[in-house]
Amino acid sequence: MSLMHPQRDDMVAAVGDLTSGPVLPTLRDRMLASPEGRRILKERPRINTKTVDMQKLALLPEGTVGHAYVKWLERCGVTPDTREPRYRECHDFYHCIVNLPVDVTSELAVKFFEFANLGLPMAGFAAAFGHLRLSSSKRERLFKEYVPWAIKCGSTSQSLITVYWEERWSQNMDELKKELGLWDAPETKWRNPSNEAKAAAARKQKETEFQL
């Protein structure tokens, strides 16, 4: 079901839960070796619209992590509550920080990246079979451009499971990427914002006008 209907986040999350057992001790050790990772394990923070003030993030300066995250959500027409809880709801941060939207090719690129960075079997499973849904031209570009980037970037950068994103909202995005050893994925075409994204942008504009 997760392969035929990847939009079924509940099925994708279920497969992730069933297959992640062997790698969990390694991820735990990475987190214990990191000050931020240890705090994540202890505090167990969540990322959703109840725990994160999205309006406050939207008012952060251009170029900060928080502002970039809100802008990414609006461009893709999603919210922090859209996906099933997994990886501490950090999957969208990976899209955001490497500058990829949520189309099928980009999702697969991020899955290859996640597999190289985290070693989660579900990411490898999706990467190995998900490309069968692509056209021949898109599949060619995936393996020629995105996969080499994903494997190199994911395997050489810091393990993203140790990043306490909520403590990085005000940090400059370029500085964070340099710190983590990340760089942008190959350029891709972004679709026009969905109705949800347009509505979110309109709401933010009204809120800004009201504050002024």
Side-chain angles (χ1 to χ4, degrees), residues 80-109:
D81 305 321
T82 301
R83 298 178 183 271
E84 285 287 316
R86 65 184 187 274
Y87 310 106
R88 200 174 70 83
E89 299 99 3
C90 291
H91 179 77
D92 287 341
F93 283 113
Y94 306 158
H95 277 267
C96 177
I97 201 168
V98 300
N99 198 32
L100 284 175
V102 291
D103 58 81
V104 175
T105 301
S106 297
E107 283 286 354
L108 288 171

PDB file of all heavy atoms in Angstrom, residues 80-109:
ATOM      1  N   PRO A  80       2.658  21.708   9.488  1.00  0.00           N
ATOM      2  CA  PRO A  80       3.362  20.741  10.339  1.00  0.00           C
ATOM      3  C   PRO A  80       2.475  19.584  10.774  1.00  0.00           C
ATOM      4  O   PRO A  80       2.974  18.573  11.265  1.00  0.00           O
ATOM      5  CB  PRO A  80       3.787  21.586  11.553  1.00  0.00           C
ATOM      6  CG  PRO A  80       3.832  22.976  11.045  1.00  0.00           C
ATOM      7  CD  PRO A  80       2.716  23.064  10.051  1.00  0.00           C
ATOM      8  N   ASP A  81       1.144  19.730  10.596  1.00  0.00           N
ATOM      9  CA  ASP A  81       0.216  18.675  11.008  1.00  0.00           C
ATOM     10  C   ASP A  81      -0.171  17.759   9.852  1.00  0.00           C
ATOM     11  O   ASP A  81      -0.940  16.821  10.042  1.00  0.00           O
ATOM     12  CB  ASP A  81      -1.066  19.306  11.581  1.00  0.00           C
ATOM     13  CG  ASP A  81      -0.782  20.277  12.699  1.00  0.00           C
ATOM     14  OD1 ASP A  81       0.115  19.991  13.514  1.00  0.00           O
ATOM     15  OD2 ASP A  81      -1.439  21.324  12.759  1.00  0.00           O
ATOM     16  N   THR A  82       0.346  18.032   8.650  1.00  0.00           N
ATOM     17  CA  THR A  82      -0.090  17.291   7.468  1.00  0.00           C
ATOM     18  C   THR A  82       0.353  15.835   7.492  1.00  0.00           C
ATOM     19  O   THR A  82      -0.398  14.928   7.132  1.00  0.00           O
ATOM     20  CB  THR A  82       0.452  17.964   6.187  1.00  0.00           C
ATOM     21  OG1 THR A  82      -0.023  19.306   6.133  1.00  0.00           O
ATOM     22  CG2 THR A  82      -0.017  17.210   4.952  1.00  0.00           C
ATOM     23  N   ARG A  83       1.568  15.584   7.942  1.00  0.00           N
ATOM     24  CA  ARG A  83       2.132  14.238   7.874  1.00  0.00           C
ATOM     25  C   ARG A  83       1.915  13.463   9.169  1.00  0.00           C
ATOM     26  O   ARG A  83       1.718  14.038  10.228  1.00  0.00           O
ATOM     27  CB  ARG A  83       3.640  14.299   7.574  1.00  0.00           C
ATOM     28  CG  ARG A  83       3.985  14.939   6.243  1.00  0.00           C
ATOM     29  CD  ARG A  83       5.488  15.005   6.063  1.00  0.00           C
ATOM     30  NE  ARG A  83       5.884  15.681   4.843  1.00  0.00           N
ATOM     31  CZ  ARG A  83       6.037  15.072   3.675  1.00  0.00           C
ATOM     32  NH1 ARG A  83       5.823  13.787   3.577  1.00  0.00           N
ATOM     33  NH2 ARG A  83       6.408  15.762   2.603  1.00  0.00           N
ATOM     34  N   GLU A  84       1.975  12.134   9.045  1.00  0.00           N
ATOM     35  CA  GLU A  84       1.950  11.285  10.233  1.00  0.00           C
ATOM     36  C   GLU A  84       3.207  11.543  11.062  1.00  0.00           C
ATOM     37  O   GLU A  84       4.286  11.759  10.499  1.00  0.00           O
ATOM     38  CB  GLU A  84       1.920   9.794   9.833  1.00  0.00           C
ATOM     39  CG  GLU A  84       0.573   9.324   9.313  1.00  0.00           C
ATOM     40  CD  GLU A  84      -0.454   9.206  10.415  1.00  0.00           C
ATOM     41  OE1 GLU A  84      -0.116   8.668  11.494  1.00  0.00           O
ATOM     42  OE2 GLU A  84      -1.594   9.639  10.203  1.00  0.00           O
ATOM     43  N   PRO A  85       3.104  11.531  12.393  1.00  0.00           N
ATOM     44  CA  PRO A  85       4.293  11.743  13.241  1.00  0.00           C
ATOM     45  C   PRO A  85       5.346  10.658  13.015  1.00  0.00           C
ATOM     46  O   PRO A  85       5.072   9.487  13.174  1.00  0.00           O
ATOM     47  CB  PRO A  85       3.734  11.663  14.665  1.00  0.00           C
ATOM     48  CG  PRO A  85       2.278  11.957  14.523  1.00  0.00           C
ATOM     49  CD  PRO A  85       1.887  11.386  13.182  1.00  0.00           C
ATOM     50  N   ARG A  86       6.532  11.056  12.595  1.00  0.00           N
ATOM     51  CA  ARG A  86       7.657  10.143  12.482  1.00  0.00           C
ATOM     52  C   ARG A  86       8.927  10.972  12.371  1.00  0.00           C
ATOM     53  O   ARG A  86       8.883  12.122  11.941  1.00  0.00           O
ATOM     54  CB  ARG A  86       7.517   9.198  11.291  1.00  0.00           C
ATOM     55  CG  ARG A  86       7.546   9.869   9.919  1.00  0.00           C
ATOM     56  CD  ARG A  86       7.293   8.808   8.853  1.00  0.00           C
ATOM     57  NE  ARG A  86       7.467   9.296   7.529  1.00  0.00           N
ATOM     58  CZ  ARG A  86       6.546   9.900   6.826  1.00  0.00           C
ATOM     59  NH1 ARG A  86       5.373  10.106   7.350  1.00  0.00           N
ATOM     60  NH2 ARG A  86       6.788  10.304   5.595  1.00  0.00           N
ATOM     61  N   TYR A  87      10.048  10.397  12.725  1.00  0.00           N
ATOM     62  CA  TYR A  87      11.303  11.139  12.782  1.00  0.00           C
ATOM     63  C   TYR A  87      11.112  12.447  13.550  1.00  0.00           C
ATOM     64  O   TYR A  87      11.720  13.461  13.236  1.00  0.00           O
ATOM     65  CB  TYR A  87      11.844  11.497  11.383  1.00  0.00           C
ATOM     66  CG  TYR A  87      11.934  10.388  10.401  1.00  0.00           C
ATOM     67  CD1 TYR A  87      11.026  10.294   9.360  1.00  0.00           C
ATOM     68  CD2 TYR A  87      12.933   9.430  10.501  1.00  0.00           C
ATOM     69  CE1 TYR A  87      11.113   9.268   8.430  1.00  0.00           C
ATOM     70  CE2 TYR A  87      13.035   8.409   9.566  1.00  0.00           C
ATOM     71  CZ  TYR A  87      12.117   8.335   8.538  1.00  0.00           C
ATOM     72  OH  TYR A  87      12.200   7.339   7.608  1.00  0.00           O
ATOM     73  N   ARG A  88      10.237  12.434  14.563  1.00  0.00           N
ATOM     74  CA  ARG A  88       9.923  13.646  15.315  1.00  0.00           C
ATOM     75  C   ARG A  88       9.437  14.751  14.374  1.00  0.00           C
ATOM     76  O   ARG A  88       9.733  15.923  14.545  1.00  0.00           O
ATOM     77  CB  ARG A  88      11.161  14.108  16.109  1.00  0.00           C
ATOM     78  CG  ARG A  88      10.827  15.046  17.258  1.00  0.00           C
ATOM     79  CD  ARG A  88      12.060  15.341  18.078  1.00  0.00           C
ATOM     80  NE  ARG A  88      13.024  16.178  17.382  1.00  0.00           N
ATOM     81  CZ  ARG A  88      12.939  17.515  17.328  1.00  0.00           C
ATOM     82  NH1 ARG A  88      11.940  18.144  17.892  1.00  0.00           N
ATOM     83  NH2 ARG A  88      13.867  18.206  16.702  1.00  0.00           N
ATOM     84  N   GLU A  89       8.651  14.369  13.358  1.00  0.00           N
ATOM     85  CA  GLU A  89       8.100  15.302  12.376  1.00  0.00           C
ATOM     86  C   GLU A  89       9.172  16.151  11.701  1.00  0.00           C
ATOM     87  O   GLU A  89       8.939  17.307  11.351  1.00  0.00           O
ATOM     88  CB  GLU A  89       7.051  16.232  13.014  1.00  0.00           C
ATOM     89  CG  GLU A  89       5.856  15.533  13.601  1.00  0.00           C
ATOM     90  CD  GLU A  89       5.951  15.352  15.106  1.00  0.00           C
ATOM     91  OE1 GLU A  89       6.931  15.828  15.705  1.00  0.00           O
ATOM     92  OE2 GLU A  89       5.053  14.737  15.688  1.00  0.00           O
ATOM     93  N   CYS A  90      10.345  15.593  11.499  1.00  0.00           N
ATOM     94  CA  CYS A  90      11.458  16.372  10.928  1.00  0.00           C
ATOM     95  C   CYS A  90      11.621  16.203   9.424  1.00  0.00           C
ATOM     96  O   CYS A  90      12.450  16.886   8.819  1.00  0.00           O
ATOM     97  CB  CYS A  90      12.775  15.983  11.613  1.00  0.00           C
ATOM     98  SG  CYS A  90      12.869  16.508  13.329  1.00  0.00           S
ATOM     99  N   HIS A  91      10.844  15.302   8.823  1.00  0.00           N
ATOM    100  CA  HIS A  91      11.033  15.020   7.402  1.00  0.00           C
ATOM    101  C   HIS A  91      10.944  16.289   6.551  1.00  0.00           C
ATOM    102  O   HIS A  91      11.736  16.478   5.622  1.00  0.00           O
ATOM    103  CB  HIS A  91       9.981  13.998   6.949  1.00  0.00           C
ATOM    104  CG  HIS A  91      10.068  13.640   5.500  1.00  0.00           C
ATOM    105  ND1 HIS A  91      11.034  12.782   5.003  1.00  0.00           N
ATOM    106  CD2 HIS A  91       9.317  14.013   4.440  1.00  0.00           C
ATOM    107  CE1 HIS A  91      10.862  12.641   3.702  1.00  0.00           C
ATOM    108  NE2 HIS A  91       9.828  13.377   3.333  1.00  0.00           N
ATOM    109  N   ASP A  92      10.001  17.158   6.876  1.00  0.00           N
ATOM    110  CA  ASP A  92       9.841  18.376   6.082  1.00  0.00           C
ATOM    111  C   ASP A  92      11.038  19.318   6.217  1.00  0.00           C
ATOM    112  O   ASP A  92      11.326  20.085   5.303  1.00  0.00           O
ATOM    113  CB  ASP A  92       8.559  19.107   6.477  1.00  0.00           C
ATOM    114  CG  ASP A  92       7.310  18.393   5.970  1.00  0.00           C
ATOM    115  OD1 ASP A  92       7.438  17.583   5.038  1.00  0.00           O
ATOM    116  OD2 ASP A  92       6.212  18.641   6.511  1.00  0.00           O
ATOM    117  N   PHE A  93      11.717  19.265   7.357  1.00  0.00           N
ATOM    118  CA  PHE A  93      12.927  20.088   7.506  1.00  0.00           C
ATOM    119  C   PHE A  93      13.985  19.653   6.505  1.00  0.00           C
ATOM    120  O   PHE A  93      14.748  20.483   5.998  1.00  0.00           O
ATOM    121  CB  PHE A  93      13.484  19.972   8.920  1.00  0.00           C
ATOM    122  CG  PHE A  93      12.725  20.763   9.935  1.00  0.00           C
ATOM    123  CD1 PHE A  93      12.010  20.124  10.921  1.00  0.00           C
ATOM    124  CD2 PHE A  93      12.712  22.139   9.894  1.00  0.00           C
ATOM    125  CE1 PHE A  93      11.300  20.848  11.855  1.00  0.00           C
ATOM    126  CE2 PHE A  93      12.014  22.882  10.831  1.00  0.00           C
ATOM    127  CZ  PHE A  93      11.295  22.226  11.815  1.00  0.00           C
ATOM    128  N   TYR A  94      14.056  18.360   6.240  1.00  0.00           N
ATOM    129  CA  TYR A  94      15.053  17.870   5.300  1.00  0.00           C
ATOM    130  C   TYR A  94      14.758  18.407   3.900  1.00  0.00           C
ATOM    131  O   TYR A  94      15.672  18.800   3.164  1.00  0.00           O
ATOM    132  CB  TYR A  94      15.081  16.342   5.292  1.00  0.00           C
ATOM    133  CG  TYR A  94      15.276  15.716   6.651  1.00  0.00           C
ATOM    134  CD1 TYR A  94      14.890  14.411   6.908  1.00  0.00           C
ATOM    135  CD2 TYR A  94      15.833  16.446   7.702  1.00  0.00           C
ATOM    136  CE1 TYR A  94      15.079  13.833   8.158  1.00  0.00           C
ATOM    137  CE2 TYR A  94      16.011  15.883   8.951  1.00  0.00           C
ATOM    138  CZ  TYR A  94      15.626  14.584   9.181  1.00  0.00           C
ATOM    139  OH  TYR A  94      15.797  14.015  10.423  1.00  0.00           O
ATOM    140  N   HIS A  95      13.462  18.406   3.519  1.00  0.00           N
ATOM    141  CA  HIS A  95      13.077  19.003   2.235  1.00  0.00           C
ATOM    142  C   HIS A  95      13.475  20.476   2.194  1.00  0.00           C
ATOM    143  O   HIS A  95      14.035  20.962   1.215  1.00  0.00           O
ATOM    144  CB  HIS A  95      11.557  18.907   2.045  1.00  0.00           C
ATOM    145  CG  HIS A  95      11.080  17.603   1.526  1.00  0.00           C
ATOM    146  ND1 HIS A  95      10.895  17.358   0.181  1.00  0.00           N
ATOM    147  CD2 HIS A  95      10.730  16.463   2.164  1.00  0.00           C
ATOM    148  CE1 HIS A  95      10.457  16.127   0.008  1.00  0.00           C
ATOM    149  NE2 HIS A  95      10.336  15.560   1.206  1.00  0.00           N
ATOM    150  N   CYS A  96      13.147  21.169   3.277  1.00  0.00           N
ATOM    151  CA  CYS A  96      13.359  22.611   3.331  1.00  0.00           C
ATOM    152  C   CYS A  96      14.836  22.968   3.251  1.00  0.00           C
ATOM    153  O   CYS A  96      15.229  23.850   2.471  1.00  0.00           O
ATOM    154  CB  CYS A  96      12.749  23.168   4.622  1.00  0.00           C
ATOM    155  SG  CYS A  96      13.009  24.938   4.888  1.00  0.00           S
ATOM    156  N   ILE A  97      15.669  22.289   4.024  1.00  0.00           N
ATOM    157  CA  ILE A  97      17.065  22.690   4.136  1.00  0.00           C
ATOM    158  C   ILE A  97      17.875  22.371   2.883  1.00  0.00           C
ATOM    159  O   ILE A  97      18.890  23.012   2.613  1.00  0.00           O
ATOM    160  CB  ILE A  97      17.713  22.054   5.389  1.00  0.00           C
ATOM    161  CG1 ILE A  97      18.956  22.845   5.797  1.00  0.00           C
ATOM    162  CG2 ILE A  97      18.025  20.582   5.157  1.00  0.00           C
ATOM    163  CD1 ILE A  97      19.493  22.468   7.162  1.00  0.00           C
ATOM    164  N   VAL A  98      17.401  21.386   2.082  1.00  0.00           N
ATOM    165  CA  VAL A  98      18.108  21.094   0.823  1.00  0.00           C
ATOM    166  C   VAL A  98      17.371  21.667  -0.372  1.00  0.00           C
ATOM    167  O   VAL A  98      17.727  21.415  -1.516  1.00  0.00           O
ATOM    168  CB  VAL A  98      18.337  19.578   0.638  1.00  0.00           C
ATOM    169  CG1 VAL A  98      19.171  19.024   1.779  1.00  0.00           C
ATOM    170  CG2 VAL A  98      17.024  18.826   0.493  1.00  0.00           C
ATOM    171  N   ASN A  99      16.289  22.439  -0.095  1.00  0.00           N
ATOM    172  CA  ASN A  99      15.562  23.183  -1.131  1.00  0.00           C
ATOM    173  C   ASN A  99      14.876  22.268  -2.143  1.00  0.00           C
ATOM    174  O   ASN A  99      15.068  22.406  -3.361  1.00  0.00           O
ATOM    175  CB  ASN A  99      16.499  24.158  -1.849  1.00  0.00           C
ATOM    176  CG  ASN A  99      15.747  25.242  -2.604  1.00  0.00           C
ATOM    177  OD1 ASN A  99      14.673  25.660  -2.179  1.00  0.00           O
ATOM    178  ND2 ASN A  99      16.305  25.689  -3.722  1.00  0.00           N
ATOM    179  N   LEU A 100      14.035  21.364  -1.641  1.00  0.00           N
ATOM    180  CA  LEU A 100      13.251  20.488  -2.507  1.00  0.00           C
ATOM    181  C   LEU A 100      11.775  20.548  -2.125  1.00  0.00           C
ATOM    182  O   LEU A 100      11.444  20.583  -0.941  1.00  0.00           O
ATOM    183  CB  LEU A 100      13.737  19.036  -2.394  1.00  0.00           C
ATOM    184  CG  LEU A 100      15.033  18.682  -3.104  1.00  0.00           C
ATOM    185  CD1 LEU A 100      15.439  17.253  -2.785  1.00  0.00           C
ATOM    186  CD2 LEU A 100      14.893  18.863  -4.625  1.00  0.00           C
ATOM    187  N   PRO A 101      10.867  20.544  -3.118  1.00  0.00           N
ATOM    188  CA  PRO A 101       9.431  20.526  -2.839  1.00  0.00           C
ATOM    189  C   PRO A 101       8.963  19.118  -2.474  1.00  0.00           C
ATOM    190  O   PRO A 101       9.773  18.292  -2.027  1.00  0.00           O
ATOM    191  CB  PRO A 101       8.823  21.006  -4.162  1.00  0.00           C
ATOM    192  CG  PRO A 101       9.811  20.565  -5.198  1.00  0.00           C
ATOM    193  CD  PRO A 101      11.169  20.684  -4.544  1.00  0.00           C
ATOM    194  N   VAL A 102       7.672  18.821  -2.689  1.00  0.00           N
ATOM    195  CA  VAL A 102       7.145  17.515  -2.271  1.00  0.00           C
ATOM    196  C   VAL A 102       6.588  16.703  -3.434  1.00  0.00           C
ATOM    197  O   VAL A 102       5.729  15.854  -3.242  1.00  0.00           O
ATOM    198  CB  VAL A 102       6.053  17.678  -1.184  1.00  0.00           C
ATOM    199  CG1 VAL A 102       6.652  18.154   0.112  1.00  0.00           C
ATOM    200  CG2 VAL A 102       4.947  18.625  -1.651  1.00  0.00           C
ATOM    201  N   ASP A 103       7.066  16.929  -4.651  1.00  0.00           N
ATOM    202  CA  ASP A 103       6.662  16.086  -5.766  1.00  0.00           C
ATOM    203  C   ASP A 103       7.368  14.734  -5.662  1.00  0.00           C
ATOM    204  O   ASP A 103       8.261  14.541  -4.823  1.00  0.00           O
ATOM    205  CB  ASP A 103       6.994  16.766  -7.096  1.00  0.00           C
ATOM    206  CG  ASP A 103       8.474  17.086  -7.220  1.00  0.00           C
ATOM    207  OD1 ASP A 103       9.256  16.175  -7.558  1.00  0.00           O
ATOM    208  OD2 ASP A 103       8.852  18.241  -6.947  1.00  0.00           O
ATOM    209  N   VAL A 104       6.972  13.787  -6.498  1.00  0.00           N
ATOM    210  CA  VAL A 104       7.461  12.411  -6.383  1.00  0.00           C
ATOM    211  C   VAL A 104       8.980  12.332  -6.512  1.00  0.00           C
ATOM    212  O   VAL A 104       9.660  11.672  -5.718  1.00  0.00           O
ATOM    213  CB  VAL A 104       6.790  11.500  -7.437  1.00  0.00           C
ATOM    214  CG1 VAL A 104       7.391  10.095  -7.379  1.00  0.00           C
ATOM    215  CG2 VAL A 104       5.285  11.432  -7.202  1.00  0.00           C
ATOM    216  N   THR A 105       9.551  12.998  -7.512  1.00  0.00           N
ATOM    217  CA  THR A 105      11.003  12.950  -7.702  1.00  0.00           C
ATOM    218  C   THR A 105      11.736  13.516  -6.490  1.00  0.00           C
ATOM    219  O   THR A 105      12.733  12.944  -6.028  1.00  0.00           O
ATOM    220  CB  THR A 105      11.408  13.729  -8.964  1.00  0.00           C
ATOM    221  OG1 THR A 105      10.752  13.180 -10.104  1.00  0.00           O
ATOM    222  CG2 THR A 105      12.915  13.667  -9.165  1.00  0.00           C
ATOM    223  N   SER A 106      11.243  14.629  -5.965  1.00  0.00           N
ATOM    224  CA  SER A 106      11.883  15.244  -4.802  1.00  0.00           C
ATOM    225  C   SER A 106      11.763  14.359  -3.569  1.00  0.00           C
ATOM    226  O   SER A 106      12.699  14.251  -2.774  1.00  0.00           O
ATOM    227  CB  SER A 106      11.257  16.619  -4.530  1.00  0.00           C
ATOM    228  OG  SER A 106      11.481  17.497  -5.612  1.00  0.00           O
ATOM    229  N   GLU A 107      10.598  13.720  -3.397  1.00  0.00           N
ATOM    230  CA  GLU A 107      10.429  12.813  -2.268  1.00  0.00           C
ATOM    231  C   GLU A 107      11.431  11.669  -2.334  1.00  0.00           C
ATOM    232  O   GLU A 107      12.026  11.270  -1.327  1.00  0.00           O
ATOM    233  CB  GLU A 107       8.998  12.246  -2.241  1.00  0.00           C
ATOM    234  CG  GLU A 107       7.947  13.200  -1.725  1.00  0.00           C
ATOM    235  CD  GLU A 107       8.023  13.392  -0.222  1.00  0.00           C
ATOM    236  OE1 GLU A 107       8.817  12.691   0.430  1.00  0.00           O
ATOM    237  OE2 GLU A 107       7.298  14.248   0.299  1.00  0.00           O
ATOM    238  N   LEU A 108      11.625  11.143  -3.526  1.00  0.00           N
ATOM    239  CA  LEU A 108      12.583  10.049  -3.688  1.00  0.00           C
ATOM    240  C   LEU A 108      14.007  10.520  -3.427  1.00  0.00           C
ATOM    241  O   LEU A 108      14.800   9.810  -2.800  1.00  0.00           O
ATOM    242  CB  LEU A 108      12.473   9.452  -5.093  1.00  0.00           C
ATOM    243  CG  LEU A 108      11.209   8.628  -5.353  1.00  0.00           C
ATOM    244  CD1 LEU A 108      11.095   8.283  -6.825  1.00  0.00           C
ATOM    245  CD2 LEU A 108      11.219   7.359  -4.506  1.00  0.00           C
ATOM    246  N   ALA A 109      14.327  11.730  -3.889  1.00  0.00           N
ATOM    247  CA  ALA A 109      15.655  12.283  -3.634  1.00  0.00           C
ATOM    248  C   ALA A 109      15.899  12.410  -2.135  1.00  0.00           C
ATOM    249  O   ALA A 109      16.978  12.066  -1.633  1.00  0.00           O
ATOM    250  CB  ALA A 109      15.796  13.643  -4.315  1.00  0.00           C
TER     251      ALA A 109
END
